[in-house]
Amino acid sequence: MKRTVKDLVNLKGKVVLLRVDFNVPIDKNGKILDLNRVNASLPTIKYLIEQEAKIVLMSHMGRPEGYEIRLSLWPISLILMQKLNTKVYFSNKATGFEVKERLHSMNNGEVLLLENVRFYEGETKCDMKFARELASIGDVFINDAFGCSHRKHATTYGIARLMPNAIGLLMEKEVNVLTQAMEEPKRPFVAVIGGAKVPYKIKILRRFIDQADTILIGGAMAYTFLVASGIAVGESITYLDSVDVARDVLNYAKEKGKKVLLPIDHIAVRKGDKKQKKFATDSLIEDMVGMDIGPKTVKLFSEEIMQAGQIVWNGPLGKYEDEDYREGTNKIAKAISLSKAYSVVGGGDSVSAVKASKNAGGVNFLSTGGGATLKFIEDGSLPCLEVIQEQIR
Ligand code: ADP
Ligand code: 3PG
Ligand code: MG
């Protein structure tokens, strides 16, 4: 077990460097679209306020190359002011004299948010000089940034090697939920996997085959698996380089006696059809392109979901960004929300899809991670978690 913020004593007056993941979705003008990650970070911040620490928040936003006003964290400081019952300061520099001065004048239990750490090139390079500069202002480092703890960066990894450290309450929750779901699942354990990125998700599929009882494959993933089973997919997205691996995965599931279900019908369009008129079909032939799972597949998958003790879902089941092709994803989200199973959804697109379908309330746990959640499911840990000290018993 990793040391958590609650294991630290005498935080009063201490400067706590708290890495959070405030990388929230924004539109092209920088308008914040969803505050899930900010809200998920509040329990640790509030706990540190109660402990009367001086709290320095560090986060990235987007993938800037140098300063980009659109990716400034300043708007988040305004939101924090409304959500926290204390003073929240913002520093448009992450290091240097101004930060030290502000800290000096701050009272215990107050918060200082630093500007986007990715405005500094040392961040993604995990430059230890940059990490050392940041570390020099604090007494202890806390990592609550589950969503980016698969990245070995200066404020997620480098800094942890320089200071006493612990994980935050969100990180603890994410780790506990995902570990429990993968190591001690409630059965039957139904895994639902969709989305694109077949080559990238092969490892996670093997993990699901090891741990789950039933695996439902949909989305663009499914066509490669259909081809591997000798079923035509017309002009649907297929990762030809991954067909052999997909066949191995299916054989592996067979050896292990695990049930893998592939779509039995589809919502498709014809390639080259300018109007993109969609239709339901049992087989994808000629120039047909599969865009979503069809109604028979929705029924087949929903029956499995209704009998599940636990569900873990990653990857939309169709091209859900387009409203014509989101019915499969929405109906599976609905089935999950209605089922009695303990349900976990992870993956950037998957969580947005569940929220957009208005079924988030029926899901037991929405992970704040995208890539981090997938990596955690694959490996059972993350590099930036590994670097944190163990709990002393
Ligand atoms: P996550 O972010 O949840 O891990 P992915 O990034 O793997 O999920 O996959 C999401 C993407 O997969 C979405 O952009 C979605 O449009 C796409 N997708 C799913 N099914 C299809 C399909 N049938 N055709 C085209 N794109 C699809
Ligand atoms: C995410 O949104 O998945 C995390 O904040 C990590 O962001 P990144 O993929 O830009 O490193
Ligand atoms: Mg994605």
Side-chain angles (χ1 to χ4, degrees):
M1 271 296 285
K2 294 293 168 187
R3 188 155 84 157
T4 84
V5 61
K6 295 221 166 156
D7 296 320
L8 304 173
V9 286
N10 295 337
L11 288 172
K12 186 169 177 175
K14 296 267 165 62
V15 176
V16 175
L17 297 176
L18 175 60
R19 180 56 157 100
V20 286
D21 185 354
F22 285 164
N23 186 26
V24 292
I26 53 171
D27 69 11
K28 60 180 188 305
N29 302 314
K31 183 172 171 272
I32 296 169
L33 301 173
D34 174 43
L35 281 174
N36 189 31
R37 281 181 165 174
V38 175
N39 291 333
S41 302
L42 295 177
T44 304
I45 303 175
K46 286 183 176 164
Y47 177 77
L48 290 168
I49 293 171
E50 279 167 27
Q51 299 302 305
E52 298 180 67
K54 290 187 180 183
I55 303 134
V56 180
L57 299 175
M58 306 180 289
S59 178
H60 74 286
M61 164 93 101
R63 294 174 180 173
E65 285 174 28
Y67 182 77
E68 270 182 58
I69 189 158
R70 194 179 71 90
L71 297 177
S72 169
L73 287 177
W74 180 71
I76 305 253
S77 69
L78 305 181
I79 291 163
L80 289 174
M81 274 178 208
Q82 291 161 10
K83 293 187 182 268
L84 297 172
N85 206 4
T86 191
K87 276 200 182 134
V88 178
Y89 299 96
F90 178 72
S91 167
N92 54 20
K93 297 252 166 43
T95 58
F97 179 68
E98 290 95 328
V99 176
K100 287 189 180 148
E101 269 223 322
R102 170 56 71 201
L103 269 172
H104 192 68
S105 65
M106 250 166 77
N107 293 315
N108 295 347
E110 293 181 345
V111 175
L112 171 63
L113 172 63
L114 304 182
E115 183 56 290
N116 189 345
V117 288
R118 283 197 190 165
F119 288 167
Y120 296 78
E121 60 176 15
E123 169 63 0
T124 52
K125 288 185 180 149
C126 197
D127 174 16
M128 290 310 281
K129 188 166 166 271
F130 180 55
R132 225 171 276 124
E133 269 179 67
L134 286 158
S136 72
I137 61 171
D139 298 300
V140 55
F141 168 71
I142 293 172
N143 185 355
D144 212 17
F146 175 79
C148 54
S149 284
H150 55 319
R151 310 261 187 235
K152 282 180 160 183
H153 291 172
T155 61
T156 57
Y157 186 83
I159 197 168
R161 295 170 50 204
L162 301 172
M163 316 176 67
N165 56 48
I167 57 171
L169 303 175
L170 171 63
M171 178 77 100
E172 185 186 24
K173 174 97 185 156
E174 291 271 6
V175 167
N176 286 346
V177 167
L178 295 173
T179 305
Q180 170 108 30
M182 293 307 292
E183 311 283 340
E184 296 161 42
K186 296 186 177 64
R187 300 209 178 261
F189 172 8
V190 176
V192 186
I193 185 143
K197 308 191 281 206
V198 178
Y200 182 66
K201 291 196 183 182
I202 292 289
K203 223 174 135 190
I204 204 168
L205 261 162
R206 285 188 183 272
R207 212 31 207 134
F208 278 144
I209 292 168
D210 284 335
Q211 302 304 110
D213 301 293
T214 303
I215 299 99
L216 312 175
I217 304 180
M221 294 277 298
Y223 312 117
T224 304
F225 284 84
L226 287 169
V227 171
S229 317
I231 297 169
V233 298
E235 294 287 333
S236 309
I237 297 177
T238 313
Y239 295 79
L240 289 174
D241 289 348
S242 298
V243 172
D244 288 342
V245 190
R247 200 175 292 117
D248 289 346
V249 167
L250 293 173
N251 287 333
Y252 182 60
K254 212 179 271 168
E255 272 166 36
K256 293 222 141 199
K258 301 297 173 79
K259 188 156 144 190
V260 176
L261 297 181
L262 297 174
I264 50 170
D265 68 335
H266 314 269
I267 300 299
V269 293
R270 291 220 177 245
K271 196 176 182 181
D273 173 8
K274 290 217 172 62
K275 291 198 178 133
Q276 294 276 290
K277 194 172 172 329
K278 65 172 181 178
F279 56 90
T281 177
D282 290 354
S283 41
L284 293 164
I285 48 166
E286 299 157 1
D287 58 350
M288 292 179 190
V289 184
M291 303 300 270
D292 193 4
I293 53 171
K296 293 177 190 166
T297 308
V298 167
K299 187 160 175 285
L300 177 74
F301 285 9
S302 300
E303 281 164 7
E304 295 293 334
I305 286 166
M306 284 308 170
Q307 287 169 27
Q310 176 185 295
I311 301 156
V312 175
W313 180 14
N314 166 258
L317 300 169
K319 195 169 182 253
Y320 79 101
E321 295 93 335
D322 190 327
E323 70 177 313
D324 278 344
Y325 315 121
R326 64 173 69 133
E327 197 163 320
T329 300
N330 285 354
K331 289 204 163 148
I332 294 304
K334 179 99 200 153
I336 292 176
S337 79
L338 293 176
S339 91
K340 291 196 184 73
Y342 180 75
S343 51
V344 176
V345 178
D349 285 288
S350 314
V351 171
S352 322
V354 169
K355 285 187 161 181
S357 79
K358 307 241 182 308
N359 289 298
V363 174
N364 294 85
F365 189 71
L366 289 173
S367 176
T368 52
T373 311
L374 300 186
K375 193 89 186 102
F376 192 90
I377 292 175
E378 276 173 25
D379 297 342
S381 191
L382 295 173
C384 303
L385 186 62
E386 287 300 296
V387 81
I388 300 290
Q389 287 164 244
E390 293 294 320
Q391 216 166 36
I392 303 163
R393 286 165 198 276

